[in-house]
Amino acid sequence: RLLQPLVSAEEAVLVRVTAVIPNWNRQEDLARVLGDLRAQSHRLEEVVVVDNGSTDGSAAMAEAAGARVIRLEANRGFAYAVNRGVEAAGPGWVAVLNNDVRLPVDWLAQLLAAAGREGAWFASGKLLSAADPTKIDGAFDLLCRGGCAWRAGSQRLDSEVWSTPAKIHFVPFTAAIFRRELFERIGLLDEDFESYLEDVDFGLRCALQGLSGIYVPQVTARHVGSATLGRWNPDTVRRIARNQLLLVAKHYPPDWPRRYLRQVLVAQLLWGAVAARHGTFLAWVRGKREGLKLFGRYARVAQPDLERILLRAEEQIRRLQEETGYDLYWRLYFAMI
């Protein structure tokens, strides 16, 4: 269902927003995003930094900067940290931010206004690469039937293709705002995922319940991306490889091999080949082993809308790839399924 929109600019000013920032070291990045939040034209009710056992003094710095800091003894992963921050947030809206994003002063105000007009459950803007702002870091996420996700627009040149507002289900938790009530309806992030694809899992849960958000491309932020571990760090690859299987285990129906086995095998093996090209094939193998061990944890049930959601997302991947130039991975995936 759609919620009542914010009917006036005056009412939008009164909306309460809590910012939640998971953090593990990266003191300089954290200091910059805290400065960006202080400068926002829409006043924040509170900034909550959930620190995953940092050793660089970033937690103390955040407290000195006026943030409320929840100190964890060890790094429990992105999902665990976000959940503790959401639990600490009051009513209204929650802005979830990576510590390596940079925000313009009207980022929050514009997203709130757009979400209010559309009655959206969540909203995000266009993410540009901090290293090269002419390139897209990501627009929104999409998921194929094979259980692999695409951060739409990643490393593409910014263009009109990425400048059209759209209704979305899969929102990156890099820099986005959410109605606090959404977490009560959908649940928190799945902590089994630790880090990576936990936002895709959340988006699929939103889609299955018919709850959508909005992509607002005129609102831009800049993102360093993979600042903590690195894009092809073996631990990153291991977690992504594991969590791809968890998406299948958690959401696909009991007879999923009959319906989706070909797509799953193609998607997963192709991603293994990409990992091998980056020297992380053994990490991919470890991740798949972990995923298979966890596979039986989930009681698979039939989801009547799942196939429609996956087919629509997959067709969107195909269309955007055709319009902006195929990545080899997706060219091979669509040729082989």
Side-chain angles (χ1 to χ4, degrees):
R1 67 182 175 89
L2 292 179
L3 300 183
Q4 289 298 314
L6 304 173
V7 295
S8 69
E10 290 77 13
E11 287 183 338
V13 171
L14 301 177
V15 173
R16 170 178 173 149
V17 182
T18 300
V20 172
I21 308 173
N23 179 68
W24 185 45
N25 297 318
R26 310 295 302 186
Q27 180 180 152
E28 292 183 3
D29 285 334
L30 180 61
R32 282 191 283 265
V33 74
L34 289 175
D36 289 348
L37 290 174
R38 286 194 298 271
Q40 289 297 299
S41 58
H42 184 102
R43 177 183 172 274
L44 283 150
E45 185 74 17
E46 188 176 31
V47 177
V48 178
V49 173
V50 185
D51 187 73
N52 269 313
S54 294
T55 57
D56 67 344
S58 53
M61 180 279 298
E63 287 177 330
R68 175 183 174 188
V69 178
I70 299 174
R71 294 174 182 256
L72 305 178
E73 293 183 359
N75 188 355
R76 300 287 299 274
F78 182 86
Y80 186 91
V82 169
N83 287 349
R84 303 295 79 76
V86 170
E87 288 172 343
W93 288 78
V94 178
V96 179
L97 300 159
N98 282 13
N99 60 11
D100 60 343
V101 297
R102 298 303 309 275
L103 309 172
V105 296
D106 58 351
W107 177 83
L108 181 56
Q110 288 200 64
L111 284 185
L112 285 170
R117 286 192 302 269
E118 300 298 324
W121 284 94
F122 49 86
S124 67
K126 183 189 297 182
L127 286 169
L128 300 174
S129 167
D132 183 358
T134 66
K135 290 185 177 180
I136 300 290
D137 179 82
F140 41 82
D141 287 337
L142 293 166
L143 179 67
C144 75
R145 288 176 291 169
C148 287
W150 181 44
R151 179 64 49 90
S154 178
Q155 302 306 305
R156 300 291 204 276
L157 285 174
D158 192 9
S159 68
E160 288 302 312
V161 173
W162 312 108
S163 299
T164 303
K167 175 181 174 181
I168 59 173
H169 292 297
F170 299 94
V171 59
F173 271 55
T174 309
I177 64 170
F178 305 84
R179 294 184 189 262
R180 177 65 177 79
E181 182 189 347
L182 179 62
F183 295 96
E184 297 166 8
R185 292 174 62 101
I186 297 295
L188 297 170
L189 294 178
D190 188 336
E191 293 172 13
D192 283 348
F193 283 70
E194 296 181 275
S195 301
Y196 305 104
L197 300 183
E198 70 291 311
D199 47 5
V200 174
D201 167 70
F202 186 87
L204 188 51
R205 284 187 275 151
C206 287
L208 289 168
Q209 292 200 30
L211 306 177
S212 62
I214 184 170
Y215 168 62
V216 191
Q218 68 267 28
V219 181
T220 60
R222 296 187 183 185
H223 182 219
V224 174
S226 301
T228 300
L229 291 178
R231 189 179 303 273
W232 291 102
N233 178 281
D235 198 46
T236 299
V237 172
R238 176 185 62 82
R239 291 179 179 184
I240 293 174
R242 177 195 63 200
N243 293 347
Q244 289 166 342
L245 290 184
L246 293 189
L247 287 172
V248 175
K250 184 174 180 179
H251 296 289
Y252 284 30
D255 64 344
W256 73 267
R258 179 180 64 82
R259 297 186 182 190
Y260 305 118
L261 181 60
R262 182 181 181 86
Q263 290 83 6
V264 169
L265 287 176
V266 168
Q268 304 299 319
L269 291 174
L270 283 175
W271 204 79
V274 175
R277 185 163 61 88
H278 289 275
T280 53
F281 181 73
L282 291 180
W284 176 84
V285 172
R286 288 194 296 271
K288 293 308 179 193
R289 285 176 177 171
E290 290 179 14
L292 290 172
K293 288 180 181 178
L294 294 170
F295 212 84
R297 176 181 298 185
Y298 297 95
R300 285 174 290 281
V301 296
Q303 303 274 15
D305 291 330
L306 178 68
E307 185 154 6
R308 175 184 58 81
I309 291 166
L310 293 177
L311 285 172
R312 181 178 178 182
E314 194 169 279
E315 183 55 36
Q316 197 170 359
I317 294 173
R318 187 196 297 267
R319 177 178 60 80
L320 289 170
Q321 288 279 321
E322 287 177 347
E323 290 182 11
T324 62
Y326 270 100
D327 297 319
L328 179 60
Y329 175 93
W330 291 110
R331 183 181 297 279
L332 291 173
Y333 174 79
F334 286 116
M336 296 170 69
I337 62 171

